[in-house]
Amino acid sequence: MFGLLWRVALVFSVPAISLSRKANAGTIYHNAVTIYQTELLIALCLLMMCVGCLASIITPDPEGVQPIKPLAKFVYSVLGSLSAMFYIGYYEQQLSIVHPAWVGGVAFVAPAIVPSVKKLVFELLPVAHSAAKGFATRWLNSKGGDNG
């Protein structure tokens, strides 16, 4: 494993060192960031999505909460961060440096939110539905004045 990591580090360090030693390396980086700003921000969003997924899987569940399996945490994280990216693309239609942090944060928090949403849907909404149905039944069946 150490040999593999050493080879990967060597392969990626040679181009980085050669670029940094050139006299115009600063302008190359400036031009790359200026020209490919959106692509770099998308790549940073994907990187932060991976970091958020890993952090949510590694972080233990709090006490008193039913534990979630790591695969389910991964799926919740990926779906949450992809929905955050689609939200950014559809509603805001413009990327800034804050959006990658937001995507990573959503990826980290999504596994904690999904059980709450599940509880809301399966426990609270039927109670609200029956209360609304009872209210509508009472309202529609009431006489409401002198119908005489």
Side-chain angles (χ1 to χ4, degrees), residues 62-90:
E63 293 182 22
V65 176
Q66 183 179 2
I68 303 172
K69 295 180 181 178
L71 183 61
K73 283 185 177 183
F74 176 74
V75 171
Y76 297 155
S77 295
V78 169
L79 291 177
S81 59
L82 286 177
S83 65
M85 288 179 68
F86 287 136
Y87 174 83
I88 292 167
Y90 186 74

Side-chain angles (χ1 to χ4, degrees), residues 108-119:
F108 177 70
V109 174
I113 293 174
V114 169
S116 301
V117 172
K118 180 181 170 186
K119 188 173 184 177

Side-chain angles (χ1 to χ4, degrees), residues 1-15:
M1 186 67 178
F2 178 73
L4 175 67
L5 292 176
W6 178 254
R7 289 183 187 116
V8 168
L10 186 65
V11 166
F12 286 117
S13 67
V14 170

Side-chain angles (χ1 to χ4, degrees), residues 1 10 12 37 40 46 61 67 72 78 84 88 95 99 104 106 109-110 117 120 122 132 135-136:
M1 186 67 178
L10 186 65
F12 286 117
Q37 180 179 6
L40 290 173
L46 293 174
D61 294 324
V78 169
I88 292 167
L95 281 173
H99 291 123
V106 169
V109 174
V117 172
L120 173 79
F122 290 114
F135 176 75

